Amino acid sequence: MTRYTASRTPHHLGPAAWNAILPAQDAAERLEGNATADFAVIGAGFAGLSAARRLTQLAPGARIAVLDAGRIAEGAAGRNSGFMIDLPHELTSEDYAGTGDDRAMIALNRMAQAFGREAVAQYGIDPAFFDPAGKVNGAASAAAHAHIESYARHLASLDEPSEMLDAQAMRELTGSAHYRSGLYTPGTVMLQPAGYVRGLAAGLRRDDVAIFEESPVTGFAREGAAWRIETPQGDLSAGKVILTVNGHLESFGIARDRLMQIFLFATMTPDLDADTLKRLGGQSRWGVTPSDPMGTTMRRIDRGQGGNRIVTRTCAVLRPGMVPRQSDLARAARVMRRKFDQRFAQLAGMEMAHFWAGHLCLSLNGVSVMREIEPGLYAGCVQNGLGTARGTLTGIGAAELACGQASAITRHFTAEPAPKRLPPQPFREIGANAVLRWKEWRAGAE
Ligand SMILES: Cc1cc2nc3c(=O)[nH]c(=O)nc-3n(C[C@H](O)[C@H](O)[C@H](O)COP(=O)(O)OP(=O)(O)OC[C@H]3O[C@@H](n4cnc5c(N)ncnc54)[C@H](O)[C@@H]3O)c2cc1C
């Protein structure tokens, strides 16, 4: 009998701030007693909710159940920066350049955006949570400026538009004098990520998808033609299972020693009052990714997205046990305060409202795990830090595989090799964290 047992379930540090700034959700519905479904989706982030939506399209009338260990939007879905990027954005490279066929990846990312856009229209999700505003790649130093110039040339060779902004234009956009230039690209969708995934969940519920929150899956086993999925208070029997738990794939013993379990950190200001907004200047919505992947991401949101706030994201640490340390968050908090003050001298010393850590997962060779694990069991995991788009894609793809459907998405991901094996512990953790700290130092003011 095949059996998969979860060696651990998610552990969060700090609030999922994007969720905290929205109105409270209704009480959670947990899985209790015995239930049955045709399809069970484990994990309700971008991948899991996209898988469930794709199932409603491919198997109308099928009984679909989604299970999550926590509340909707309390995991990485409510802890990220909300950039749903269409262009190559390889975090492990020096300059975001893709390792494979950039045009193919852009086409796929735009399919993810189109899928999200359709869901927003069909489920009546607030358009402020899915804003096709584009983003800027910011440069603070001459070297970074050269970097974005070369990135602009690469985009031109792909026939992709971009616009160079000078220091003055960057100041008018952000209110910050920190950047000497920036490269605007129009294709990124800026999400209020918690609002978007909550909207997906609400739409799915209206379409009769059962969503069980606070129902951590402790294990599942094959029993005859079905899978029996266990949670602390109930069991679900399902014909097919889709795992969309990102790095927690490894907790079920799949892709063991092949996934880099990373925590990133972010902070959010309080809702800024009129006087502070005047001192800040700039536009009410913008997003700036750093020209160096290990630099600092900044974002400004407005009232329609949960308040007039600035979000700062920087620092990364590898924790193979998937539990971030309080000391990791304390260090990141110090660094983020400094980064914020460097960018917004006019607001220096401002108290932040929220600090948090969020879990993501990368593979050394930048591949995902989107395939049939064994008959009736599918995975849409390992988003390589780009889960808003790639999670959407791997969720769609896993649902298509479960329905025996082939598409450009299934063909792309099933053709990828397996994630490369990582060095053994403790060398993995010590080595990776030394490299991350060095890259962070090298990113300098970016
Ligand atoms: C600070 C930060 C900034 C980021 N910025 C961006 C960005 O701007 N753009 C971008 O594209 N990506 C960004 N990311 C990455 C992005 O958040 C992730 O790639 C994305 O959330 C992955 O989506 P997912 O659905 O695969 O996994 P997740 O969102 O992690 O969802 C997996 C779900 O599985 C559930 N789960 C796990 N184990 C179990 C179990 N045993 N039983 C039941 N449920 C379980 C979890 O509770 C979770 O809800 C960022 C991440 C962080 C931390």
Side-chain angles (χ1 to χ4, degrees), residues 230-254:
E230 295 146 18
T231 73
Q233 292 171 43
D235 288 355
L236 177 75
S237 174
K240 292 183 176 173
V241 174
I242 298 178
L243 277 171
T244 43
V245 290
N246 206 14
H248 280 281
L249 190 63
E250 193 173 7
S251 306
F252 287 100
I254 303 166

Side-chain angles (χ1 to χ4, degrees), residues 8-70:
R8 58 177 96 71
T9 51
H11 183 104
H12 301 302
L13 193 57
W18 290 97
N19 198 30
I21 60 175
L22 294 179
Q25 304 188 74
D26 292 340
E29 186 188 346
R30 299 198 183 110
L31 177 67
E32 284 170 0
N34 294 313
T36 53
D38 298 309
F39 296 95
V41 179
I42 304 177
F46 294 97
L49 296 172
S50 301
R53 176 169 160 78
R54 190 70 183 121
L55 289 174
T56 63
Q57 296 170 337
L58 293 175
R63 293 163 305 161
I64 303 162
V66 182
L67 298 137
D68 200 280

Side-chain angles (χ1 to χ4, degrees), residues 90-313:
E90 210 51 63
L91 295 184
T92 47
S93 79
E94 300 293 309
D95 57 359
Y96 297 120
T99 45
D101 179 347
D102 282 349
R103 277 183 222 272
M105 205 59 234
I106 293 169
L108 288 171
N109 288 336
R110 289 185 179 151
M111 282 181 207
Q113 292 180 335
F115 183 85
R117 195 159 39 242
E118 229 179 70
V120 166
Q122 192 188 329
Y123 295 155
I125 298 172
D126 187 337
F129 298 166
F130 192 91
D131 182 11
K135 71 157 177 95
V136 174
N137 217 347
S141 64
H145 177 67
H147 233 118
I148 60 174
E149 278 188 318
S150 111
Y151 187 51
R153 283 193 295 275
H154 178 58
L155 291 179
S157 76
L158 297 170
D159 292 323
E160 290 295 337
S162 66
E163 185 192 341
M164 193 61 81
L165 308 180
D166 63 12
Q168 175 68 17
M170 285 299 283
R171 188 172 196 158
E172 283 165 11
L173 178 70
T174 63
S176 169
H178 182 73
Y179 299 102
R180 57 174 286 162
S181 61
L183 187 71
Y184 172 74
T185 48
T188 292
V189 175
M190 300 300 288
L191 302 175
Q192 199 310 1
Y196 172 68
V197 296
R198 280 169 58 163
L200 284 183
L204 288 166
R205 283 192 176 108
R206 286 196 296 275
D207 282 352
D208 292 329
V209 173
I211 301 183
F212 299 109
E213 300 173 77
E214 297 178 352
S215 302
V217 173
T218 51
F220 57 95
R222 181 157 284 289
E223 270 188 6
W227 293 95
R228 197 164 69 90
I229 299 166
E230 295 146 18
T231 73
Q233 292 171 43
D235 288 355
L236 177 75
S237 174
K240 292 183 176 173
V241 174
I242 298 178
L243 277 171
T244 43
V245 290
N246 206 14
H248 280 281
L249 190 63
E250 193 173 7
S251 306
F252 287 100
I254 303 166
R256 201 181 280 151
D257 294 323
R258 291 173 186 270
L259 306 184
M260 292 190 276
Q261 308 290 352
I262 303 270
F263 286 87
L264 298 186
F265 303 87
T267 182
M268 190 184 265
T269 64
D271 194 0
L272 304 176
D273 60 25
D275 174 56
T276 312
L277 288 174
K278 217 159 139 199
R279 277 189 287 140
L280 171 63
Q283 305 284 314
S284 70
R285 287 185 193 176
W286 47 261
V288 177
T289 47
S291 59
D292 182 310
M294 281 302 292
T296 302
T297 300
M298 302 296 300
R299 180 158 175 204
R300 163 91 154 86
I301 60 171
D302 66 16
R303 185 134 308 249
Q305 299 166 313
N308 285 297
R309 301 170 189 270
I310 296 174
V311 184
T312 308
R313 186 218 49 78

